[in-house]
Every structure is written in C-alpha cells, then in structure tokens.
Amino acid sequence: MHTPRQVFKFGGTSIGSLEALRLALQHVRAAGPGTAVVVSAMSGVTDQLLDAARSAERGDLQAADRAASDFAARHRALAEALLPEPGQILALIGQSVEELHAMCQSIAVLRELSPRTLDAVVARGERVLALGLAAALVAGGAHAVYVDATEIIALTPLAGGLWPDMAAAAEAAARLLTPVLATGGVTICPGYIGRGPAGQTLTLGRGGSDFSAAILARALGAERVVLYKEVDGLMTADPRAVKDARVLGELHFREAAELAYYGAKILHPRTMIPLLAAPGRPAIPLFIKNTFNPRSTGTRIADDAA
Ligand code: ASP
Ligand code: MG
C-alpha cells in the first residue's frame, strides 16, 4: 500500500522549550507513518554557537567556554526531562561539547575562524536536537530513525555558488529514508546542514532548515511540506507594525517568494525552488502552521492558488 509521504519541519521556537518539544512530538505522533521530520536548532542555539566561535577568534576563551557550557546544560536538561533513559543522548551531547571546546581552543590559538570551521561549529545545534527527538520518539515506542542530512544533501558548485545535487538527494532518500517511511516509521534529520564537495559539513545559510525540508520533500516526491512555526502563517503585513494584519490563507509560490525576498523573515527565500513543478513532476504544496495554535488553519502555498 502507498503511504502518503510528507515532510514536517520544526523551527527554533517550535522546539525552543520543553513544552514546545512535547507539542512537536505530539504533532509527529499524530501524523503517523510516512513523515520525514526536519528540525532546526532550538531558538537561540545557532547564535550562541556563533558567539562561542567568534569569542574564541577574539581570544576570549572564557566567553567561548561559557557559551559551550550553556549549550551543554540546555540540551542535557531537556534530555533528562524528555527521556526515561537519557544516558546515550547525554553521552552524545558530551561528545559534541568536548569537540566544541576543542574547536574553540584551536580557533583561539590560531586567531582564525574560517567559514568552514564556523559551519562545523554551528552544525551541532541541529544534530544534537535531532538525535534527542529521535530518541524521544523511540522511547515512546515509535519506529524512528535519525538520518544525518549530510548523507542526503550534497552541495555542488553551480553558477559561482553551491547548490544541492537533487539527483543525488533523491537516490540517498530512496536508500535511507524511504525504507523507514514505507515500513511505518518516521525519520528525523537535522536541518540547515549539508555535505560540501570535500565531504565537509556545510550550512545552508541562516534560516536554512526550511530549505532543507523542501529539498527532502522533492527528493522523496512528498505530497506536502509542513513548516511548523510560532506564527499562524504568512501575514498581509508585519503584525508589529500594522494592527489589522491578517493571516493569508492561501498564496501562490511566486507571491510567497516575493514576500520572502522582501524580508518577511518567515520563509527562507530559496525554500520554494525545489517545490516548483517541472516536466514530469507536480509541484509540492507548502503549509505554514503554528505549533502552538491547533485552531489556526495556517497558510497554504502552492501553484494552484488564486
Ligand atoms: N538554526 C539555523 C538558524 O538559526 C537554521 C534555521 O533555523 O533554519 O539560522
Ligand atoms: Mg534557528
């Protein structure tokens, strides 16, 4: 039987606290089999890791160590609250933090922070969280499998930049995700990261886990992508500036792309590209939903919107 496939992505605030994580887990459990989950780092974590690296670059190892210890404490507390047997995840968090301390030390000695090192530092925010969520789902009896995004998303040089190799992503998704999804399971991938041409871990740019979700959706031939955020959907205007800003129920990819470019800050501007229709493949609709508001219907973005 064909199980519908969908990609759920949880943004920083949607997983930024214990309560939020519990809600996110409920959304995943309620969705049932055939769901590939993508997570960003918890809110504030990417900034904190960037801070650690930049403090080290300035030679301020104390500040770097403080950031690293905060990172560790925040994730340890969650693992302990969420998991009946947190031992394995606590060990992984410990490894990640040791590596972070070591990297900060090298950065401080060399007083040099390359883009590649910075990416390697920040990638751990998504990874520890995805590992923890997978463990929480397994502890709850689900068939949940962590798959590292660098196994699926390979970035290759294109037009002066790097772009995901979609054919390679489809092949990897068929090998690593589909068997789990087709047998009633759930996969959990860290968003925001991919593999560079030299095999190194790279990031997709700030807010890039939306893009990760879209890449995986295309690779899987998914029926929809749902981005869980802390807002009810895309709005007609910035609600902080315009009092009667409303949620847009539906909009065309084109309009959503414009909003993203004009700084709506809700969607990573590249997100729509993998979702567009092309010869032989339909478009994949994108939904924005509020993790915290089950009553809101959210925004649907597709190519058949009026
Ligand atoms: N954690 C990353 C960031 O803060 C990626 C994301 O949130 O999508 O930019
Ligand atoms: Mg984030």
Side-chain angles (χ1 to χ4, degrees), residues 62-94:
Q62 257 177 7
D65 283 345
R66 239 182 287 121
S69 303
D70 274 5
F71 170 83
R74 192 170 174 194
H75 288 90
R76 278 193 191 115
L78 287 168
E80 277 161 2
L82 222 47
L83 300 169
E85 287 169 36
Q88 201 192 349
I89 293 297
L90 290 176
L92 289 171
I93 294 170

Side-chain angles (χ1 to χ4, degrees), residues 31-279:
T35 306
V37 178
V38 174
V39 293
S40 96
M42 301 178 76
S43 49
V45 163
T46 302
D47 287 324
Q48 186 172 49
L49 292 169
L50 289 169
D51 246 31
R54 292 197 178 120
S55 301
E57 188 188 20
R58 286 194 310 272
D60 188 350
L61 260 184
Q62 257 177 7
D65 283 345
R66 239 182 287 121
S69 303
D70 274 5
F71 170 83
R74 192 170 174 194
H75 288 90
R76 278 193 191 115
L78 287 168
E80 277 161 2
L82 222 47
L83 300 169
E85 287 169 36
Q88 201 192 349
I89 293 297
L90 290 176
L92 289 171
I93 294 170
Q95 273 172 26
S96 178
V97 172
E98 259 178 51
E99 195 181 273
L100 177 57
H101 280 298
M103 291 176 96
C104 286
Q105 242 147 29
S106 316
I107 296 166
V109 169
L110 299 170
R111 293 290 174 99
E112 183 189 66
L113 178 56
S114 68
R116 182 158 164 172
T117 304
L118 195 56
D119 280 354
V121 166
V122 297
R124 71 204 58 247
E126 272 70 13
R127 280 183 168 143
V128 291
L129 196 78
L131 285 161
L133 275 182
L137 288 164
V138 168
H143 172 35
V145 178
Y146 172 89
V147 179
D148 200 86
T150 57
E151 307 249 17
I152 301 179
I153 301 177
L155 300 163
T156 53
L158 183 83
L162 290 172
W163 194 253
D165 179 338
M166 290 308 304
E171 181 278 317
R175 190 161 40 80
L176 300 170
L177 304 181
T178 303
V180 180
L181 302 177
T183 53
V186 168
T187 57
I188 320 284
C189 292
Y192 186 46
I193 62 174
R195 180 176 83 244
Q200 77 277 34
T201 297
L202 292 180
T203 65
L204 305 176
R206 296 307 305 269
S209 55
D210 288 349
F211 189 35
S212 307
I215 297 166
L216 290 195
R218 173 53 69 200
L220 282 165
E223 282 155 45
R224 69 179 78 82
V225 185
V226 185
L227 305 180
Y228 279 98
K229 300 193 179 257
E230 71 283 14
V231 294
D232 284 344
L234 285 183
M235 312 280 287
T236 49
D238 184 342
R240 283 163 307 186
V242 178
K243 193 168 84 270
D244 50 3
R246 304 177 281 109
V247 172
L248 292 155
E250 196 172 61
L251 87 168
H252 195 279
F253 283 124
R254 217 177 316 107
E255 299 164 304
E258 268 170 37
L259 277 177
Y261 281 112
Y262 294 137
K265 285 217 179 119
I266 302 296
L267 265 188
H268 187 277
R270 289 178 181 163
T271 306
M272 267 73 70
I273 297 171
L275 306 179
L276 302 176

